[in-house]
Amino acid sequence: MLVLSCGTCATNAPDGSECMPCASCGDVLNVTYDRGLTLPRDARVVFRSRLTSHALHERSGVWRFRELLPPVNDSQIVTLQEGNAPELPAERSAAWSGLEGLSVKNLGCNPTGSYKDAGMTVAVTRARVAGAKVLACASTGNTSASLAVYAARAGLPAVVLLPAGHVPTSKLAQALDAGAIALGIDGDFDVAMQAARELALRGAVYLVNSLNPFRREGQKTVAFELLESRGWRVPDWVIVPGGNLGHCVALAQGFAQAQALGLAERVPRIAVVQAAGAAPFVRAWQQNEPLVPVHATTFATAIKIGNPVSWRPALRALHATGGTAIAIEDDRIAEARAVLARDGLACEPASAATLAGALALRERGTIDEAADVVALLTGSSLKDVASIERYHGDPSKTLANPLRRVAGDMASLERAIAEALR
Ligand SMILES: *Cc1c(COP(=O)(O)O)cnc(C)c1O
Ligand SMILES: [Zn+2]
């Protein structure tokens, strides 16, 4: 049996209240399993062997860990075979950040191009089981793209609330294309989030933002997938960008469960990276005080959030893992993004905050040069091509690589190539 309970005041919430925060204290709810989680026999072998299954949902990087998730019938699972994102070495990025080695887990390889899919498959499956009629989210772009696509697969209507004019074109296009009802509202993400919460409170919609603990149940499988793919060798550090802070909380929860179930020896330390213009959580962490919302400004739109919902469990996650939080200026994030791209690992700006964070934590001596570090690249570079074009069109940028206009005759072409190779 599943129980929804509050991580701060331990109050249990009635069945079906997953779209709302705790009624007593306002913190987000967690899914807990009253009989605990039971692994299959030879769990490591079973998890791995499902990768070669003929059943779509078994190969999913989320559902191959289904013993760790809310139980559902196979036929109810809404999946696009998400997850199983590759972890790859990033040599130039390692050198840039002062590490001997660095690997990146490229979650942009998910079906809609972001980490959001790992949680969305579980939330939309749950919504369908619960008989939800209309699904909804507030979004800086990626949650709306993911919800739109998974709702389309489930045959359910989706409403997405977006800060009008502040969502990259490709993310909006994904939501429109999948048939979501896209509502662009005046105001930033935090205003959209508040409106979405009120809609959910009125019972008008089933909310799938990460305040919904079923989203985080799916997201936590990234921790299991990460460990499984490296033979359950635990890295020293996992670096993740922080916006609404659902990802870092879910990851910490996944690592803790892997340790409790005897699959991993320890947990990695988690570093949360925010953009300097949207860093209320870093402040709360450094001062060890309740979060004070800010008006968020950053070009990394996926983490442009001034009033993150999951700050309380995120603080607990950093304390529990011996982690840290750090804020990075946009210029540094842009350069880190370009460095990753030169490693063949392009991502959207928010994701590159992780590499910029690695450099800053090396400079402070928090992370050792020889540490085993994994940076999570949360979204694909194709999510925000406008910011990439802007970077390469600006000659003041270190790695600017502009389009070269040239006549089509052989002499001009050969001259242009020779010049470029010099
Ligand atoms: C959603 C998102 C984040 C932030 O995740 P939170 O759970 O909101 O902290 C970071 N990067 C990308 C690409 C995202 O889509
Ligand atoms: Zn509570």
Side-chain angles (χ1 to χ4, degrees):
M1 268 292 288
L2 297 177
V3 182
L4 298 177
S5 73
C6 173
T8 291
C9 73
T11 304
N12 284 353
D15 206 28
S17 47
E18 64 256 32
C19 299
M20 258 106 37
C22 171
S24 310
C25 77
D27 192 6
V28 295
L29 298 171
N30 295 320
V31 173
T32 53
Y33 301 83
D34 65 350
R35 283 197 218 101
L37 293 165
T38 316
L39 290 180
R41 280 180 52 139
D42 293 328
R44 292 176 174 188
V45 176
V46 171
F47 292 153
R48 170 144 284 238
S49 66
R50 285 178 181 152
L51 282 168
T52 57
S53 165
H54 289 290
L56 184 66
H57 65 275
E58 293 225 314
R59 287 204 301 280
S60 156
V62 174
W63 295 99
R64 72 188 171 100
F65 301 102
R66 62 186 302 172
E67 285 80 3
L68 310 164
L69 297 172
V72 286
N73 297 330
D74 288 6
S75 62
Q76 291 169 317
I77 294 176
V78 185
T79 180
L80 287 156
Q81 212 184 101
E82 50 289 317
N84 299 320
E87 183 186 320
L88 303 156
E91 274 178 38
R92 289 172 193 79
S93 305
W96 183 81
S97 59
L99 287 162
E100 280 171 17
L102 169 72
S103 58
V104 303
K105 191 164 174 66
N106 196 359
L107 297 153
C109 294
N110 269 290
T112 77
S114 84
Y115 188 172
K116 299 297 189 290
D117 296 344
M120 202 56 76
T121 179
V122 175
V124 172
T125 298
R126 167 70 185 182
R128 184 152 83 167
V129 171
K133 298 281 181 291
V134 183
L135 313 192
C137 71
S139 177
T140 60
N142 283 336
T143 305
S144 65
S146 187
L147 169 60
V149 169
Y150 279 83
R153 296 292 297 178
L156 287 167
V159 174
V160 300
L161 271 62
L162 306 161
H166 297 278
V167 174
T169 322
S170 17
K171 300 183 186 185
L172 174 60
Q174 285 180 288
L176 297 175
D177 224 12
I181 301 163
L183 306 175
I185 68 171
D186 285 335
D188 56 14
F189 170 82
D190 298 296
V191 173
M193 188 68 243
Q194 190 50 41
R197 286 167 73 144
E198 279 169 32
L199 279 175
L201 209 57
R202 289 162 165 264
V205 296
Y206 182 95
L207 197 63
V208 300
N209 281 98
S210 59
L211 95 87
N212 184 325
F214 290 94
R215 266 278 300 286
R216 278 174 277 124
E217 284 301 288
Q219 289 167 340
K220 86 180 179 191
T221 62
V222 170
F224 286 88
E225 177 188 306
L226 188 151
L227 294 170
E228 197 276 338
S229 75
R230 32 166 53 227
W232 303 94
R233 220 169 15 87
V234 183
D236 297 319
W237 284 93
V238 172
I239 311 181
V240 60
N244 228 354
L245 303 170
H247 287 147
C248 65
V249 169
L251 276 173
Q253 187 191 346
F255 287 125
Q257 284 179 3
Q259 185 188 27
L261 291 164
L263 291 166
E265 277 184 357
R266 53 185 176 89
V267 296
R269 304 171 77 174
I270 292 179
V272 171
V273 188
Q274 296 201 296
F281 177 69
V282 175
R283 227 165 153 227
W285 165 253
Q286 285 169 347
Q287 309 191 336
N288 203 18
E289 277 182 4
L291 182 130
V292 180
V294 300
H295 174 72
T297 56
T298 171
F299 86 122
T301 52
I303 50 173
K304 189 176 167 186
I305 294 176
N307 189 14
V309 242
S310 292
W311 65 269
R312 291 182 192 85
L315 284 180
R316 289 195 289 271
L318 295 195
H319 284 296
T321 68
T324 192
I326 193 165
I328 305 289
E329 297 294 336
D330 277 3
D331 273 358
R332 266 287 175 87
I333 297 176
E335 189 177 336
R337 211 208 59 76
V339 171
L340 281 159
R342 290 294 185 92
D343 259 329
L345 296 165
C347 59
E348 69 167 283
S351 309
T354 56
L355 177 61
L359 170 62
L361 292 169
R362 274 293 299 127
E363 286 171 347
R364 290 187 181 186
T366 310
I367 297 185
D368 198 66
E369 184 180 17
D372 182 2
V373 182
V374 183
L376 298 189
L377 301 188
T378 44
S380 149
S381 66
L382 300 179
K383 289 283 194 175
D384 187 1
V385 288
S387 74
I388 301 177
E389 275 190 307
R390 266 199 309 279
Y391 181 92
H392 289 294
D394 177 353
S396 76
K397 301 294 185 207
T398 320
L399 291 172
N401 185 28
L403 174 71
R404 300 155 208 263
R405 292 303 308 264
V406 60
D409 63 282
M410 285 306 119
S412 309
L413 289 173
E414 281 172 355
R415 202 175 327 113
I417 293 168
E419 249 169 47
L421 287 173
R422 235 199 342 249

